[in-house]
Amino acid sequence: MSERYETHEHDVLVIGAGGAGLRAAIEASASGVSVGLVCKSLLGKAHTVMAEGGVAAALAHMDPQDGWQTHFMDTMKGGSFLNHWRMAQLHAQEAPDRVRELEQWGALFDRTPDGRILQRAFGGHTWKRLAHVGDRTGLEMIRTLQDKGVHSGLDVYMECTVTRLLKDGDRIAGALAYWRESGRFVVFRAKAVVIATGGIGKSYRVTSNSWEYTGDGQALAYDAGAELIDMEFVQFHPTGMVWPPGVMGLLVTEGVRGEGGILRNSKGERFMWKYLPDARRHEYAENDAEARQWVEDTVAGRASQARRPPELSTRDNVSRAIYTEVKESRGTPHGGAYLDISYLPAERVKRKLPSMYHQFMELADVDITKTPMEVGPTTHYMMGGLRVDPDTGAATVPGLFAAGEAAAGMHGANRLGGNSLSDLLVFGRRAGAGAAAHARKLSSMPPVNDAEIEADTRALLAPFERSSGESPYEVHRALQDCMDRLVGIFRVQADLEAAVETLEALRRRAAAVRVEGTRMFNPGWHLARDLSNMICVSEAIARSAALRKESRGAHSRLDFPGQDPALAQVNFRVTRSASGMRVEPTPLPQMPAELRSLFDAKPAPAKQEAAR
Ligand SMILES: Cc1cc2nc3c(=O)[nH]c(=O)nc-3n(C[C@H](O)[C@H](O)[C@H](O)COP(=O)(O)OP(=O)(O)OC[C@H]3O[C@@H](n4cnc5c(N)ncnc54)[C@H](O)[C@@H]3O)c2cc1C
């Protein structure tokens, strides 16, 4: 039966052509297996292209005290120790080599006066660690990986959306997809599949994420029987645009604060001073003068004896601070906070933050070299996703692998800025190698099930056949409203339970939507399919959040503001069962003693001095 569909065969099929997918495809291809790379947008347009601030790696170019151990510790602390220690370790150890490799492949990073890769400060990182290309780092990264990829002999399938993972018994056998332009179906047969489909932001209304982020990889994997973990941890970035409405949520890079941006409320108060957590207050400047000294040293490219400004606190903390200021009536006219970089020389702002300058000029008619920006929290990054083996990227279904934002474990309860681009490189490479090794062990292509494909295609076309039914756009609006209101920055039990009920109703509505027109490039039809993925991941978020009765990392509970030591020992695992979605605790992998001891060691006096 499958002959009726266009069919392609590859040893390894990589779904997603962002940083993770491209890096995985390059690695798999280098090992000699045949690789197909499928993406639902054009090659070069994946979400990674939007990354602005930089890629974190302990190159120690600006702060020679830096090393993988400190990067590892910062990452674990940022993740409230719910990260898989092995992923955080591999990431910290391998990120410098991955960045240098990118440079060898042609990436042109900003430079120090003596020609080394320049690194900037970011929240939660002890040292200046982010290699960057102005505020267009993702663009350079994608350009470089794409150049490398197309010369590696990959077969690329663009504007092609995967709708199901195909299985042979328990193991992966390929994927079903459709061409976005023609609406025609295509079957990929593969020995191994790498999920690199990115995040879930489109389940929320206010988000920095692009249209591609509909949680496809997480939902496809869940449907195929894979485990998801840490789904309660959704990162709300503190600084998205709040005005005008059409661009609400669009990211204002943390690079603005890294370059010295100051947050103020409507009364002109620099409010971050009062939100610094007591346990980490000593890491931040004492007063405006010390913060200013740090900025001046940074601008001049000098190592600073001053400590960092309070605006460089972690993202969850800054998000909650802005949210609270607005709630307590100290917000800006459009419901945000002021972020001011206009006190620095205009030429420097334009050079270091060119995208931000143009973004505000063109979209909001604001010249950020003269006027403060208005910013507020926006849904930004998903820490949860497929559970993977740290060394190989293997998910819990044989033949399935994952990397990048779609995978989980690396960032625990919260991600540090810059740690995603490095995550893509380190674990993209490992997942590509893991998938290729798996494929090489299979002597023949696993068979696909024609009846399964037939049933899927019928279900996908059903919205065209209904004579009545809601528009998928209405259901999407209701979903985003539910997630923004009930599963947002601050959560309470009653809201989370209400969200689970609402999502149940939305699932029924989504299953009955009607789509008009033909299969030829029909965004309404695409959304009809995406909706079920978004509802699936939203349910996993709401159910996991309801079980985590504490506040940790990016997950803030108004009814449980403290931390529960018992919950510090577990991740929540989401699986599909006959009776629906199951969420249960699973023990946290235990960190070996030699890594644990890093946290006990007292910093050497010289280092402590420099850390100021
Ligand atoms: C505005 C912005 C700025 C950021 N800045 C930084 C930064 O400075 N530093 C940092 O570390 N992180 C940053 N991040 C986060 C980082 O960019 C992302 O986490 C990262 O790029 C995700 O990469 P990925 O390879 O996992 O997915 P993506 O780059 O999003 O790629 C996903 C791919 O999957 C494809 N896809 C999805 N679903 C399907 C499907 N069903 N079928 C086929 N293909 C599919 C898409 O077409 C796409 O090709 C930023 C994020 C945003 C939104």
Side-chain angles (χ1 to χ4, degrees):
M1 183 87 73
S2 62
E3 290 80 56
R4 291 205 295 122
Y5 306 107
E6 178 184 340
T7 301
H8 300 274
E9 290 190 10
H10 292 286
D11 293 317
V12 173
L13 181 73
V14 179
I15 309 175
L22 278 164
R23 190 63 192 82
I26 290 168
E27 197 65 19
S29 185
S31 78
V33 300
S34 91
V35 178
L37 178 66
V38 50
C39 52
K40 67 182 185 183
S41 59
L42 291 168
L43 188 64
K45 295 282 182 192
H47 207 74
T48 300
V49 86
M50 293 164 74
E52 295 165 349
V55 44
L59 295 160
H61 288 177
M62 307 298 292
D63 296 309
Q65 306 91 324
D66 203 6
W68 75 260
Q69 293 90 340
T70 319
H71 194 180
F72 164 75
M73 287 193 286
D74 287 346
T75 301
M76 292 299 298
K77 285 185 204 161
S80 296
F81 292 88
L82 284 192
N83 334 45
H84 194 312
W85 62 268
R86 175 73 177 152
M87 291 184 87
Q89 179 193 23
L90 288 171
H91 167 258
Q93 288 175 333
E94 296 180 3
D97 278 350
R98 295 289 74 77
V99 170
R100 283 190 279 264
E101 174 181 76
L102 217 52
E103 192 183 36
Q104 281 155 17
W105 292 348
L108 293 169
F109 290 101
D110 285 6
R111 304 259 148 208
T112 61
D114 61 352
R116 292 173 305 153
I117 295 175
L118 185 64
Q119 296 184 273
R120 65 161 51 119
F122 245 48
H125 289 282
T126 302
W127 306 111
K128 295 191 193 74
R129 198 174 273 150
L130 269 74
H132 59 276
V133 185
D135 56 4
R136 292 171 179 155
T137 313
L139 176 64
E140 185 68 358
M141 190 161 145
I142 281 286
R143 186 193 65 75
T144 309
L145 290 172
Q146 199 177 310
D147 273 4
K148 178 78 182 165
V150 295
H151 291 104
S152 312
L154 309 171
D155 286 318
V156 180
Y157 306 89
M158 289 191 261
E159 297 199 300
C160 185
T161 300
V162 172
T163 58
R164 177 160 305 268
L165 297 176
L166 302 172
K167 285 174 76 182
D168 167 39
D170 282 345
R171 64 179 178 161
I172 285 295
L176 174 67
Y178 66 84
W179 293 109
R180 295 178 77 81
E181 195 184 347
S182 66
R184 299 196 68 81
F185 295 110
V186 47
V187 170
F188 293 99
R189 297 185 61 191
K191 294 176 180 169
V193 168
V194 180
I195 297 268
T197 49
I200 59 93
K202 281 294 170 190
S203 291
Y204 289 82
R205 188 172 59 89
V206 181
T207 178
S208 64
N209 292 179
S210 75
W211 64 270
E212 290 183 284
Y213 268 23
T214 50
D216 295 5
Q218 294 87 338
L220 295 175
Y222 168 84
D223 280 341
E227 286 179 25
L228 308 179
I229 55 164
D230 293 341
M231 292 298 285
E232 66 273 36
F233 296 116
V234 178
Q235 182 177 82
F236 298 91
H237 194 291
T239 58
M241 290 178 80
V242 293
W243 182 259
V247 293
M248 192 189 274
L250 200 66
L251 194 76
V252 177
T253 174
E254 189 168 330
V256 177
R257 285 172 290 134
E259 296 292 333
I262 294 174
L263 283 165
R264 293 190 197 281
N265 60 23
S266 58
K267 297 181 159 175
E269 293 160 344
R270 189 174 190 174
F271 56 83
M272 276 313 299
W273 296 117
K274 64 180 186 221
Y275 293 98
L276 290 175
D278 286 341
R280 301 194 71 173
R281 186 170 286 273
H282 63 282
E283 295 172 18
Y284 296 90
E286 187 92 46
N287 48 38
D288 283 348
E290 188 180 351
R292 183 65 202 250
Q293 185 59 50
W294 183 93
V295 173
E296 273 167 19
D297 289 338
T298 302
V299 168
R302 293 189 292 265
S304 186
Q305 296 300 302
R307 286 168 295 183
R308 59 193 37 231
E311 283 79 10
L312 287 176
S313 180
T314 50
R315 288 180 174 179
D316 54 321
N317 197 40
V318 184
S319 289
R320 283 190 292 263
I322 297 177
Y323 182 93
T324 307
E325 289 296 308
V326 174
K327 203 155 178 232
E328 294 178 358
S329 307
R330 293 185 295 277
T332 62
H334 300 109
Y338 291 113
L339 176 61
D340 189 11
I341 191 99
S342 64
Y343 69 96
L344 289 176
E347 166 279 320
R348 178 179 168 83
V349 173
K350 286 186 195 166
R351 183 163 45 84
K352 296 304 288 184
L353 301 163
S355 298
M356 288 302 105
Y357 175 75
H358 290 294
Q359 183 172 311
F360 274 88
M361 203 57 151
E362 278 156 32
L363 301 177
D365 201 19
V366 167
D367 182 348
I368 67 170
T369 66
K370 298 194 176 106
T371 317
M373 298 159 244
E374 275 187 71
V375 296
T378 179
T379 310
H380 184 57
Y381 183 86
M382 184 53 173
M383 272 71 73
L386 278 83
R387 174 175 239 166
V388 290
D389 172 64
D391 289 77
T392 62
T396 51
V397 168
L400 188 62
F401 296 77
E405 193 167 339
M410 160 64 203
H411 307 285
N414 201 6
R415 173 180 73 93
L416 298 186
N419 267 3
S420 171
L421 294 187
S422 38
D423 167 359
L424 312 181
L425 295 172
V426 168
F427 295 106
R429 172 178 163 274
R430 285 184 166 270
H438 177 91
R440 274 197 304 271
K441 278 192 242 145
L442 302 189
S443 54
S444 61
M445 196 60 84
V448 293
N449 182 329
D450 290 330
E452 191 187 342
I453 294 169
E454 192 68 13
D456 274 345
T457 54
R458 262 202 310 274
L460 284 163
L461 294 173
F464 288 116
E465 278 147 30
R466 296 186 187 115
S467 53
S468 64
E470 271 184 290
S471 142
Y473 293 99
E474 275 170 47
V475 182
H476 191 204
R477 266 194 297 277
L479 168 67
Q480 292 182 322
D481 174 64
C482 162
M483 293 305 282
D484 273 19
R485 269 189 318 107
L486 305 174
V487 200
I489 292 190
F490 284 110
R491 300 162 173 183
V492 293
Q493 194 67 21
D495 283 356
L496 295 169
E497 286 169 10
V500 171
E501 270 181 39
T502 307
L503 290 165
E504 205 45 62
L506 286 171
R507 172 170 296 107
R508 286 192 294 274
R509 285 169 63 183
V513 292
R514 173 166 182 258
V515 174
E516 289 179 17
T518 72
R519 286 157 69 177
M520 301 271 288
F521 207 93
N522 185 332
W525 182 48
H526 303 166
L527 179 61
R529 173 67 186 100
D530 296 346
L531 267 178
S532 72
N533 294 332
M534 286 188 272
I535 292 171
C536 170
V537 293
S538 298
E539 182 183 351
I541 295 168
R543 285 189 186 278
S544 305
L547 285 182
R548 190 167 284 282
K549 294 185 170 50
E550 63 161 359
S551 293
R552 187 180 295 276
H555 170 70
S556 297
R557 294 280 305 246
L558 287 174
D559 45 355
F560 296 98
Q563 296 197 337
D564 177 347
L567 292 176
Q569 304 304 320
V570 296
N571 301 104
F572 283 104
R573 163 174 67 187
V574 179
T575 47
R576 185 182 179 141
S577 75
S579 56
M581 186 177 279
R582 184 164 46 202
V583 185
E584 60 204 338
T586 164
L588 197 67
Q590 285 306 300
M591 193 189 292
E594 73 269 18
L595 288 179
R596 254 200 329 265
S597 68
L598 290 174
F599 295 92
D600 304 331
K602 287 209 166 42
K607 191 168 167 178
Q608 220 169 13
E609 178 59 22
R612 292 168 56 79

